[in-house]
Amino acid sequence: MSFLEYRLKTVPTGASKILHVNWALVILLTAVASVGFLMLYSVAGGRMEVWAEPQIKRFLLGLAVMFAVAFVPIWFWRNMAGLAYAGSLLLLLAVEFFGSVGMGAQRWIELGPLRLQPSELAKVTLVMLLAAYYDWLDIRKTSHPLWVLIPVILILLPTALVLTQPDLGTALLLMTGGAVVMFCAGVSWYYFGAVAALLGGTVTAVFASRGTTWQLLKDYQYRRIDTFLDPSGDPLGAGYHISQAKIALGSGGWAGRGFMQGTQSRLNFLPEKHTDFIFTTLAEEFGFIGAFSLLMLYTLVLAFCVASAIQNKDRFASLVTLGIAATFFFYFAVNMLMVMGLAPVVGVPLPLVSYGGSSMLVLLAAFGLVQSAHIHRPR
Amino acid sequence: MRRSARDTEESARKITRRGLFLGGSMAAVVAVLGARMRHMQVDQADEFRLLAEDNRISIRLVPPARGQIYDRNGKLIAGNEQNYRVVISRDDAGNVEDVLNRLSGILPISDEDFERALKEARRRSPLPIIVADRLTWDDVSKVAINAPALPGVSPEVGLSRTYPRDTDFAHVVGYVGPVSDRDLEKLEEPDPLLQTPKFQIGKIGVETWMEDALRGKAGSRRVEVNAVGRVMRELGRQEGDAGADIRLTIDADVQNYVQARLGEESAAAVVMDVQNGDLLAIVSSPSFDPNLFVRGISHTDYNALTENDHRPLANKSVQGAYPPGSTFKMVTALAALEAGVINTSSSVSCPGHYEVGGRRFHCWKRGGHGRVALDRALSESCDVYFYDIAMKVGIDKIAEMGRKLGLGIRHDIPMSAITEGLMPDKAWKKERYQQDWRIGDTVNASIGQGYVLTSPLQLAVMTARLASGRAISPRLIHSIADQPAAVDPGAELGLDPQFLQAVHQGMYAVSNNQRGTAYSSRIDDKSLKMAGKTGTSQVRNISAAERARGVISNADLPWNRRDHALFVAFAPYDNPRYAVSVVVEHGGGGSTAAAPIGRDILLRAMSDGIPPLTAYPAAQRNRIDTMHRKLELRDADGKMPESSRA
C-alpha cells in the first residue's frame, strides 16, 4: 500500500494523535535514558553537573524533537528522505573540511552552539532514503541487479566519507543498517551471500595489506584488532582498556558492588567511562541483574519496533521502523560485545546511555519517525 | 504509482517474513550477549573480583625508625632527626617543569636536584618525587603559603640519620647511605624494605655490622590506589618494630678528648678496660663528618678527603698495620722468660751493636748501654738485649707469645676492615715467600721490626693482657635493646706471675725511672702511676753508608719518611684498670711524639673530666694547662665550642 491508497479519515489528526503515540515505547526509551543518567551521576563521583545534568537536558530536548517528528505524517518524511540524505552527505563533506578533530579523527562540526556529529545523522537519513527507494521501486524489480546497485551506491557514499574521518565503527553501522533495509525490502538472499563472501575476502585483504604501501587501515585500527584478538598480550598498553573493562564487568558479580561503589570506575581504571565504556560501570555497580535488565529494556524496544513494523501495511513505514530498530540494535550490540571482549574496540556508544549529544538527539528523532509511522499507519 | 493488490499483499508478507527473521537474529545476538554476561558476571565473578582487588589494593611498606646508638653513659651518638622535605606528585602537578621553576624561586634547589627531579618525573613513576630534602621549617612554611601556585607539591616529614658528635665517631659508628645495587647483590634475599625509595642502610662501622639489629621490622600499609598509582585512602595499617637501640662501651667524652688530643696528627689511639675488654675510646685521626655522607657528599668535599695525605677516611685504629717497634719487646722478653732461656736477672752486654750471621745490627744508642738486665733493657729500650735473647728463644716461641697476647689475630668487633696484622714465624715465611727463615729476620722481629705488623687495637689488647695476665678481648657493644652483651672475663694466659711482674717493673721504669724513655711523660699522682713502653718504628731502611754519615734526624726528613711513634701503657700500676695504645704516623720518636699523648689519655680515662693538674709533674703543669685550654672539647650535649665554628 502506498499513502495514496490511505483512507485518510482513519488516520488520527490534531491533538488526538497523542492518544495514538506508542506510549510503551516512550516509557521504555525514558527508562533506558534514566539508566544513563544514574550511571553518569555515578561515574562523575556523585555529581550531577558534570555529565548527568547536560544529558538530562539533551534528553528532554530530544524527547521534544521526537514528538515533533512523530506528529508530522509519515508520508511527509518519506518525501523528505532524499533531501535529508543529501543534507547529511553535505554535512559529512563539511566535516571533511571544517570538522573538529577529536580522538584522532575528524567527527564533529560546530554549528553555532550545537556540536553535530553528521555521521550519526547519516545513519538515519540513509535508512529513510533506502526505505523510500523500496517504497517507490516496483516490487518485482527488487532483486534486479541494476536496482540493487543503486541502493548499494547510496550506502557506500556516506560510508566512504565516514571511513575517511576515520570512524570504522560508524561506517560498519551505516553498512549494516543499509543492508538490513535492503534485506527487509526483499532483496534476494543470493546478494547477501555474495556480500558475505566478499567481506571474507576483504578481511583477508586487510590483513594481507598490513605493513605494505597499500595498507588499508590506520595503524591504530590494526592495533585494536590485535588487541581484540589477544588482549592479554599487552595488558598495560593497547590491551589495557579491554582488560580493565572486562575486570570491571566481571567483578560486578550477580548483584554488583553497589551504587557508586565500583572501584574500577571510581579509581579511573576504566577508560572512557562516561562514554563508550559506561556499560562496564553499570555492570560493575549493579552486577548481572543491572546489566541484564538494561539488555532486556533494549530488547523490549526492539520488540515494540518489530511488532509495529510488521503490523504496519505501509511499506515505507515498515522499512524505516525496521531499519531504525536494526541501527539501534547494532549500536548496543556492538558496544556490549566490545566491552565484553567479543568485538574490537571500535568506538560505538551505548545508545541513549553514553554521554553524548548527537547520537542522543539523532536516535530520539529516529524514534520520532518510528512513532510517526505508528501513529499514521493505515488502518 | 499504484500497485496491484497482489503485489501489495506479497510485499507485506515478505516484510513480515524478513522482519521476523531480523527480529529472530537480533534475539539470538541478545541471547549471546546475555549468556556472555552471565558467564563473566556469575561464573567468573570471583576471578574478576580478585583482579579488581589486585588493581586497587597496594601494600606499602612503612619503614621502621632505625635504632639509635648511645655511648656507655647514654649519650647520643647516632640518632634520628625529623626532616622536612618537599615532594611533588606528577599527576597533580600537570607541568612538572613549570611547577619546579616556581618552586625554585622559593626554595634553594640546586641545579643537580632540579635535573634529577625532572628526570624522575619523566620516568612516570606514580610515587611522589622528592624535590628538596632537609629543609628548615621556614622553607616548609613558604611552600605551604604558596600552595595554590604549586599544584602537586606537598611538604613531608621523615626521619633521617644524624650524628650529633660528627667527627668523633665517624670511624667507629660509620654512617648510613642509600642502598646501592652492590648492597643488594650481596644479599640473597633482600629485605623488601631496601627497595623503598630513599631507604638508608649502614655503609661502614657499627652502622653496617649491626645493621640487622638497628634496622627493625617494616610495618605495612594497605592502601587503595587509583589507576595511576596515587594513594586514595588507607585501608589498614600494621605498625612495624623500631630498630633496637645499641649502647657502645665507648665513653663519648673520653673519645672526644682523645680525638682532640690527637689533633691534626695522622694518628690512632685505643683505650681499653683491662678487666673486661671494654673499649673506652677508639680513635683515628684526622676524622671526617659522617653527616656529609648521609646527605650525599659533594665531589669537592669527597676529593678533599681522598686527596688528604693524612687519610681521614682510613680507620687507622683497626685497619692500620704498623711495625710495633720497641712496644713489641715485652713479647720477646716474656717468650724468653717462659721458655726458660733467660731469667729475670740475666744480663747482656750492649756495645751499641750486635753481630750475627755476618751482619751487624745496631742498637738505637750508638755508644751502647753497657751491661743490661731485663728492667733496664725495657726502660731504656736496649735493642741488643732483645737481639740476644731472641736468638736464644727463636722466632716460633716469640710468635706464639705474640699470638697469646693478641697480636697477629683478628679481634672481632663490629667495625669495618679490621686487620689481622702479622705475627710472622718460620712456617709463615715458607708459605708466603717459599724461603727459609733467616737469623736476621728473628733479630728484626725481636724489636718489632721486619715482618711484624700490628694495629693500634692489637697493641691495646696486648697491653691489657700484659696488665691483667688474662686473655682479655675487646668489646664494643655494651648492650642491645637494654640486653647487656656478654662480657668475656678472659681465661688466664698461664704466664708465670713472677715473669709478668718483672715485665711490669720494666714498663714501670720506662715512665718512672729517670733514665726511662718516657720519664718525661710520667704521672705524678701516686695512686695513678703508669707503666708503659715507647716504640719508634722505621718506615725506611737505614743503609750502612747513611749510618756512617750519621743517621738523618726525623725533623730533617720529609713527613712521610719519618718514623712512626708508638706508645703502649697501662695504669694505675698497682691495680691496672686501663690500657692505652697510641700510634702517631711519621711522628718521630715514641718517647716524644706518642708517650705524652698516651699519658694524657690514660689520665683522662681515670679522671672524671679533664685530669687535675696535680697528676702531672710539677714542671709540666703550666704547659699542660695551656694545652688543655686550647683543646676544643664538646659540651655535655656534644656541641662544639662556639670559637671553633667561626
Side-chain angles (χ1 to χ4, degrees), chain B residues 207-508:
Chain B
E207 290 275 29
T208 187
W209 289 96
M210 303 303 288
E211 174 68 30
D212 290 347
L214 289 167
R215 187 185 301 159
K217 263 181 72 180
S220 60
R221 240 156 40 105
R222 279 176 74 241
V223 291
E224 186 177 80
V225 294
N226 71 1
V228 291
R230 220 171 116 221
V231 175
M232 305 307 281
R233 64 192 168 118
E234 192 170 286
L235 302 170
R237 194 185 179 99
Q238 195 189 348
E239 293 300 337
D241 300 327
D245 287 347
I246 287 179
R247 192 178 273 220
L248 303 181
T249 58
I250 307 272
D251 182 320
D253 293 332
V254 174
Q255 176 88 2
N256 178 227
Y257 179 89
V258 177
Q259 190 83 55
R261 184 66 186 81
L262 292 179
E264 296 300 307
E265 296 283 4
S266 177
V270 176
V271 182
M272 201 171 142
D273 189 319
V274 304
Q275 287 162 9
N276 57 15
D278 280 4
L279 291 163
L280 228 63
I282 179 158
V283 176
S284 177
S285 171
S287 186
F288 60 92
D289 184 356
N291 291 307
L292 292 179
F293 283 83
V294 181
R295 288 163 203 167
I297 192 163
S298 70
H299 279 292
T300 335
D301 285 347
Y302 190 72
N303 288 343
L305 287 175
T306 51
E307 283 160 17
N308 188 331
D309 64 354
H310 283 36
R311 293 175 294 126
L313 292 177
N315 183 6
K316 294 160 192 145
S317 55
V318 300
Q319 295 171 11
Y322 306 93
S326 300
T327 57
F328 186 73
K329 284 175 178 168
M330 286 79 84
V331 177
T332 312
L334 269 177
L337 287 167
E338 286 287 328
V341 295
I342 58 164
N343 61 39
T344 52
S345 52
S346 312
S347 64
V348 170
S349 173
C350 166
H353 54 83
Y354 185 77
E355 280 185 55
V356 64
R359 273 183 71 192
R360 174 172 280 207
F361 293 88
H362 290 269
C363 185
W364 66 271
K365 196 170 175 181
R366 291 204 77 175
H369 288 90
R371 211 152 184 92
V372 290
L374 178 63
D375 53 348
R376 267 189 69 212
L378 280 174
S379 70
E380 293 171 40
S381 204
C382 174
D383 292 337
V384 170
Y385 175 86
F386 292 95
Y387 296 155
D388 186 71
I389 65 171
M391 293 309 302
K392 290 180 180 142
V393 67
I395 187 62
D396 284 349
K397 285 259 165 62
I398 294 173
E400 194 188 313
M401 180 58 67
R403 282 190 278 270
K404 204 172 214 176
L405 293 173
L407 305 181
I409 52 176
R410 193 176 179 283
H411 296 289
D412 210 11
I413 56 172
M415 286 172 74
S416 299
I418 297 174
T419 183
E420 211 173 84
L422 183 55
M423 193 62 250
D425 55 20
K426 289 176 180 162
W428 167 81
K429 191 174 179 191
K430 192 88 190 155
E431 197 190 314
R432 178 76 177 73
Y433 293 108
Q434 284 84 45
Q435 278 176 17
D436 286 331
W437 185 267
R438 299 216 198 141
I439 227 94
D441 295 335
T442 306
V443 172
N444 277 331
S446 71
I447 58 158
Q449 294 278 167
Y451 296 119
V452 188
L453 291 173
T454 59
S455 68
L457 176 68
Q458 287 174 326
L459 288 176
V461 171
M462 175 192 81
T463 313
R465 290 186 179 186
L466 282 172
S468 64
R470 285 182 288 128
I472 300 299
S473 292
R475 188 175 85 127
L476 184 60
I477 303 298
H478 193 282
S479 59
I480 300 176
D482 290 328
Q483 294 293 311
V487 179
D488 177 10
E492 286 290 337
L493 287 170
L495 300 175
D496 190 326
Q498 218 189 315
F499 299 154
L500 263 184
Q501 180 64 24
V503 168
H504 285 184
Q505 277 167 2
M507 291 175 75
Y508 180 81

Side-chain angles (χ1 to χ4, degrees), chain A residues 1 135 183 187 244 267 340, chain B residues 3 8 18 36 55 227:
Chain A
M1 264 204 312
D135 186 41
F183 173 79
V187 175
Q244 293 300 341
L267 299 172
M340 286 193 282
Chain B
R3 285 181 182 142
T8 311
R18 296 256 169 133
R36 174 75 172 173
N55 260 346

Side-chain angles (χ1 to χ4, degrees), chain B residues 141-155:
Chain B
S141 39
K142 270 190 244 161
V143 171
I145 290 167
N146 290 296
L150 301 167
V153 174
S154 54

